[in-house]
Structure formats: C-alpha cells, structure tokens
Amino acid sequence: MPFQQGSARTRQRTVLLVGIVVLVVALVLAVVLASLLTHREEEDDLKMLKWKNRGTTKNLQEVVLGRCYNYVTARYPELGDKDCLKIWDSLKHAFIYKNPCNITSEDYQPLMELANHAIPCNKSLFWSKTNDLVHRYTKSNQNFLTLEDTLLGYIADRVSWCGDPSAPG
C-alpha cells in the first residue's frame, strides 16, 4: 500500500506541474499575441495617416509666398499691408507636425485673421467647386466674386497640404 500512495502523490505532482507549465505557456502566448496585435494596430494607424491623394504641393512655401505677394502687390495693391511671411508661418503652424485627423478650425484661426480683408459691398461670393462655370460668370459680371478672388482663396487654389506628426512634418 505505501507504494500506491507514493505513486498517487507523484501523479498529483506531475499533474500540478503540467498544469502550471500549461498556464505559463498560455500566459506567454497571450502576451505575445497582444503585443503583435497592438503592433499591427499601430501599423494600421500609420497607414491611415498616409495621404492617398496628391500629397503636399511641391515647393509649397514658394507657391504660397509667390501667390500672396502677387495678390497684394499686383492684383489688389490696397492690401499691401498684408505680411506674406506671417501668413505663410501661420499656415505652416496650422498643419505641420500634426495628425491630419486631429486638426481643427482653431488651428487655422490665426491664418484667417492675418489674411482677412474686406469684400466690396454688393458683391456675392461664389463657392467655386464648379470652377469653369463660376469663373466665366464672374468675369462677365463684375458684381460677383469667387473664393479665389479672396486672398486665402487665391493662395490655396489647387494647392494641397497635409501634416504628419513625424519628421519632416
């Protein structure tokens, strides 16, 4: 009989040891899987940040500054007091190094204030998504304006920009 008790204890210890090993292996697997899934979600988040359209216009700073100077010196010299460098800096700070999904209208508020100017009385402002039609119409009738007739509209016409929290921004 003492032999059977030793055998039963050995069997209990073996079952207990196997149970502990199984639990440890399951815990390690759970940690590894959680790590892989978290890493995959981070990769998916980074993929979501990838702009699938044209991306930022090449030489954006030069385009913005050139258009701004052209607008305030050649097209509307009465706006000559606008500081194009400050306008560029304000635009840049609105989006650079920022996740494009987290940018708010408040980010662009300083730009709106810097580029603000009066619209002449008795002029209607047209949304210009119907670009060709609206521009032909406003050219033939001087009582109307398009968004591109404003400083910000002129600067941003057919230009794109997109921020990125990582370098180079």
Side-chain angles (χ1 to χ4, degrees):
M1 293 281 183
F3 180 71
Q4 288 177 344
Q5 283 182 343
S7 175
R9 282 188 185 162
T10 304
R11 200 176 4 234
Q12 284 178 339
R13 286 183 185 158
T14 303
V15 169
L16 184 61
L17 185 61
V18 168
I20 291 172
V21 168
V22 167
L23 283 175
V24 169
V25 168
L27 183 61
V28 168
L29 280 174
V31 169
V32 168
L33 285 174
S35 174
L36 288 174
L37 290 175
T38 304
H39 183 67
R40 185 171 292 149
E41 286 175 7
E42 289 171 2
E43 286 177 357
D44 289 345
D45 289 346
L46 289 175
K47 285 179 187 173
M48 287 182 66
L49 284 178
K50 299 288 185 202
W51 185 252
K52 293 176 179 61
N53 210 333
R54 296 182 301 178
T56 300
T57 300
K58 289 187 186 320
N59 305 312
L60 180 63
Q61 179 178 358
E62 290 78 9
V63 170
V64 168
L65 287 173
R67 288 182 179 185
C68 182
Y69 287 127
N70 184 52
Y71 189 91
V72 300
T73 59
R75 291 185 64 148
Y76 297 95
E78 61 272 17
L79 296 177
D81 64 332
K82 297 294 179 187
D83 188 336
C84 292
L85 285 174
K86 284 185 181 175
I87 288 172
W88 161 249
D89 282 338
S90 183
L91 171 63
K92 180 176 68 174
H93 292 330
F95 74 93
I96 198 163
Y97 292 111
K98 294 182 181 176
N99 181 329
C101 299
N102 297 335
I103 294 176
T104 65
S105 58
E106 287 80 23
D107 293 321
Y108 286 94
Q109 193 59 40
L111 172 65
M112 301 292 280
E113 291 170 9
L114 284 170
N116 187 30
H117 63 90
I119 301 295
C121 291
N122 301 322
K123 297 266 186 175
S124 296
L125 189 66
F126 276 106
W127 176 59
S128 48
K129 186 68 174 178
T130 54
N131 198 334
D132 294 335
L133 175 65
V134 170
H135 283 281
R136 277 189 272 145
Y137 187 70
T138 59
K139 213 175 236 185
S140 68
N141 188 332
Q142 299 300 314
N143 291 324
F144 299 101
L145 296 172
T146 65
L147 289 176
E148 290 85 6
D149 293 321
T150 66
L151 176 56
L152 277 180
Y154 185 76
I155 290 172
D157 185 29
R158 299 173 196 235
V159 174
S160 60
W161 58 89
C162 187
D164 185 344
S166 62

